[in-house]
Amino acid sequence: MRKGTKFIAAILLLALVFSIPGLSVFASAEDETYTPVPYTLYPAPEGAYVGDTMPFVTEDGTLEIYYLYDTDHNGQGYHPIYKYSTKDLCGYEDHGMVLSYGDMSDPDPALGTGSVMQDQNGLYHLFYTGHNDIGNGGLGKECVMHATSTDRENWTKIPEDTFFPPEGYSKDDFRDPEVFWVEEEQCYWLLIGARENTLGGVIARYTSTDLKTWEFHGYFYAPIKQYMLECPDLFSIGDKWYLTYSWDCVTYYAIGDSRDGYFIEPDDCVLDGNNFIFYAAKDVSFDGKDYLCGWLGRAGLSVDSGMYQWAGNMLNHQLVQHEDGTLGVKAPDNFAQYFTEDKAFTAVEKEGTVEIDGSSIKLSAEAGSQALADMGMRAPTMMLECDVSFDEGGCVGFAFGGTENDPVYTALCLDAGRNLLHYEGYEITELNDYEPAAYTKFDFSAGGTHHVQLVCENEIVVMYVDDMKALSLRVNHSINGAHIGVFADGCSAEFSNITMKVPA
């Protein structure tokens, strides 16, 4: 055989070897072109942001999500209410503004959160917060306001229905009314975040038979530990009742055996992260499932710092009720109809001891070092699923970076040593040098294998683990052609049954 023929045969043999599943591959495929996509799963208005949400399901099964419209240049009047609608959480129609703020002489030059509902006669009602820093002539900065509509697009304010905080409550903290019909009592309930002068932040309760005149019943829930309980919501799943509220840049929940309570917060009463990662979330029952609708804050002053500002992109988690009554979250089931095309990937050893066997990657690293496998460019929008097992007390996860323009890798961690899910934009070699910044608690004490869903749309990356917790983030190190990989920090780990899917 001539030398040229031998060379060609060798090249063909290498090509065959690299295409056989189960064999390690140590060469990078050429990167695709990275093109950002529209925010289809996590929408935001152009040049503005989604603030607190108010979900409502129409008679034809459409989910409408009303929200406070925020910008970087709010004037004297701000936070008009806008609306999105969706049939499947995989695409949204933008309806624009449905309710404007008032003048400085009105109680509502700024609008705050509320709720949308339909009364027993078919009329639609929007109860919302009026906010005026001047103080409304001593009545208080905040009040409950009312608007009605026959088509949910054109709303008429009813100023005479406005009411202010009762005696013994802060005049400046009285917001986010949630209104609903209670069949057993043949009346409407209104829950509202308030501040009682001795108990601090509470959820107060009113009732009404006509949605115009309200009777005050005192506080409904008082944990006696928060300054305020914003955006309260009450809902049931099965035979359990749940209260959600937000404060300290976090959404919390409590559990009760009846609508009236007594409500108790579980040991871990947070379903996503801190620092405005998932805020002002409210429940909605839609298409036979329950969801929490909230928002992921916009990036702070430092890229990938894990510190976010108020308002950003809409973010909806599907709720999971566990046998003990606690709640978990997972990616909406409908995402399986959105991410339908398999994306082939080629794993490449980058550092440490790595074994690649088809859709499984084993990694092993000594204390103080990392093992890492690179799976190529992260698609602009994608869902990755896998099962993860690792040493007791270990730290493993997903790495982003590894390109000529962004050579370092940052780490999204499942950290059993700290019992946290976390990300902070640090280089992967600096994981043990700093405290986590963007995080949520996760109990790894039982060990075993964990199922992970990773949903990505542009810089938004949402990690779900075991239908228990989410950690939602903005990871700028993951876009513009950055690679995605898996890593183990000072431990052994296996990532198995890895799949990547993109929209068709």
Side-chain angles (χ1 to χ4, degrees):
M1 186 181 289
R2 292 185 301 176
K3 289 183 178 179
T5 306
K6 290 180 179 178
F7 178 75
I8 293 171
I11 292 297
L12 290 173
L13 179 61
L14 284 172
L16 176 62
V17 167
F18 285 127
S19 68
I20 297 175
L23 291 184
S24 298
V25 180
F26 300 101
S28 296
E30 185 176 347
D31 284 341
E32 309 158 50
T33 300
Y34 184 93
T35 304
V37 297
Y39 289 98
T40 302
L41 307 178
Y42 309 112
E46 185 175 356
Y49 310 102
V50 172
D52 300 353
T53 60
M54 296 157 267
F56 174 78
V57 178
T58 68
E59 293 165 299
D60 70 353
T62 300
L63 173 59
E64 296 183 336
I65 303 182
Y66 299 75
Y67 67 93
L68 302 184
Y69 179 94
D70 190 47
T71 73
D72 288 322
H73 46 81
N74 292 329
Q76 279 192 325
Y78 56 95
H79 289 169
I81 295 175
Y82 278 53
K83 180 173 75 172
Y84 282 113
S85 66
T86 181
K87 291 287 190 180
D88 57 9
L89 300 174
C90 297
Y92 293 80
E93 180 183 351
D94 186 350
H95 294 256
M97 184 174 69
V98 296
L99 190 71
S100 182
Y101 46 76
D103 297 326
M104 288 303 296
S105 58
D106 296 323
D108 61 348
L111 305 189
T113 323
S115 58
V116 175
M117 52 84 67
Q118 186 177 21
D119 69 19
Q120 299 301 100
N121 299 314
L123 186 65
Y124 299 101
H125 299 259
L126 170 54
F127 289 89
Y128 64 98
T129 307
H131 180 96
N132 190 324
D133 284 323
I134 295 175
N136 293 298
L139 293 173
K141 292 182 179 181
E142 294 189 329
C143 58
V144 173
M145 302 191 72
H146 185 197
T148 60
S149 174
T150 58
D151 60 6
R152 303 186 313 279
E153 298 291 335
N154 302 285
W155 293 84
T156 301
K157 295 182 181 181
I158 309 176
E160 61 268 27
D161 289 351
T162 300
F163 65 93
F164 289 83
E167 289 296 320
Y169 284 72
S170 166
K171 294 183 177 182
D172 299 336
D173 298 292
F174 189 67
R175 52 187 177 269
D176 311 336
E178 180 70 20
V179 179
F180 50 92
W181 173 254
V182 177
E183 181 68 25
E184 296 87 343
E185 299 182 8
Q186 289 293 294
C187 69
Y188 299 95
W189 279 25
L190 183 153
L191 301 181
I192 189 165
R195 182 166 171 79
E196 204 271 343
N197 289 345
T198 58
L199 298 174
V202 302
I203 297 172
R205 183 172 73 97
Y206 290 77
T207 60
S208 173
T209 56
D210 60 6
L211 295 172
K212 297 179 72 67
T213 304
W214 293 93
E215 180 182 356
F216 179 54
H217 293 273
Y219 68 85
F220 180 71
Y221 180 62
I224 318 179
K225 64 176 183 178
Q226 307 282 14
Y227 181 86
M228 268 293 285
L229 310 183
E230 293 187 319
C231 304
D233 194 18
L234 176 65
F235 58 96
S236 64
I237 302 177
D239 61 355
K240 293 292 185 182
W241 286 84
Y242 299 92
L243 266 180
T244 58
Y245 69 90
S246 294
W247 191 248
D248 297 329
C249 308
V250 172
T251 296
Y252 301 94
Y253 80 95
I255 308 173
D257 290 327
S258 73
R259 180 188 289 110
D260 297 317
Y262 182 74
F263 290 92
I264 300 174
E265 294 181 3
D267 291 339
D268 187 355
C269 57
V270 177
L271 297 171
D272 202 332
N274 60 336
N275 295 335
F276 282 145
I277 281 175
F278 183 57
Y279 197 74
K282 289 193 172 190
D283 170 83
V284 66
S285 294
F286 170 60
D287 194 25
K289 304 174 181 68
D290 276 83
Y291 299 87
L292 277 185
C293 304
W295 48 262
L296 167 63
R298 60 190 186 270
L301 300 178
S302 176
V303 172
D304 285 2
S305 67
M307 304 291 288
Y308 301 107
Q309 300 179 65
W310 194 92
N313 289 65
M314 188 179 297
L315 175 59
N316 301 314
H317 297 314
Q318 185 172 328
L319 281 170
V320 177
Q321 185 184 51
H322 299 294
E323 289 186 5
D324 63 356
T326 60
L327 295 176
V329 288
K330 66 177 183 176
D333 288 341
N334 286 346
F335 283 9
Q337 281 73 59
Y338 182 75
F339 295 107
T340 57
E341 186 172 303
D342 288 316
K343 174 178 169 54
F345 64 92
T346 301
V348 178
E349 178 185 330
K350 282 293 183 181
E351 187 175 345
T353 302
V354 178
E355 296 178 27
I356 301 165
D357 184 2
S359 62
S360 293
I361 302 173
K362 294 181 179 180
L363 309 106
S364 182
E366 298 294 328
S369 66
Q370 294 82 33
L372 190 149
D374 189 308
M375 297 187 291
M377 191 189 84
R378 203 220 83 188
T381 183
M382 59 173 280
M383 177 183 278
L384 182 154
E385 290 198 61
C386 64
D387 297 309
V388 184
S389 58
F390 56 103
D391 291 344
E392 181 180 353
C395 179
V396 306
F398 301 91
F400 304 104
T403 63
E404 184 176 347
N405 293 330
D406 190 8
V408 303
Y409 290 93
T410 60
L412 171 55
C413 302
L414 292 79
D415 190 340
R418 294 183 171 107
N419 277 320
L420 295 177
L421 311 175
H422 62 91
Y423 178 83
E424 40 281 313
Y426 303 142
E427 294 184 25
I428 201 167
T429 55
E430 299 176 330
L431 278 177
N432 299 307
D433 296 340
Y434 304 98
E435 289 299 310
Y439 63 85
T440 190
K441 296 177 183 177
F442 194 92
D443 185 3
F444 288 99
S445 61
T449 300
H450 304 279
H451 185 71
V452 178
Q453 299 171 298
L454 202 68
V455 183
C456 306
E457 186 171 74
N458 299 321
E459 86 288 358
I460 295 176
V461 176
V462 183
M463 180 170 69
Y464 297 94
V465 182
D466 292 343
D467 292 353
M468 293 287 296
K469 282 292 194 84
L471 184 61
S472 306
L473 304 158
R474 297 184 186 273
V475 182
N476 287 279
H477 277 292
S478 74
I479 62 174
N480 297 326
H483 290 195
I484 182 171
V486 294
F487 77 91
D489 180 51
C491 67
S492 296
E494 180 175 5
F495 291 75
S496 57
N497 305 312
I498 302 171
T499 63
M500 290 188 191
K501 291 184 179 290
V502 296

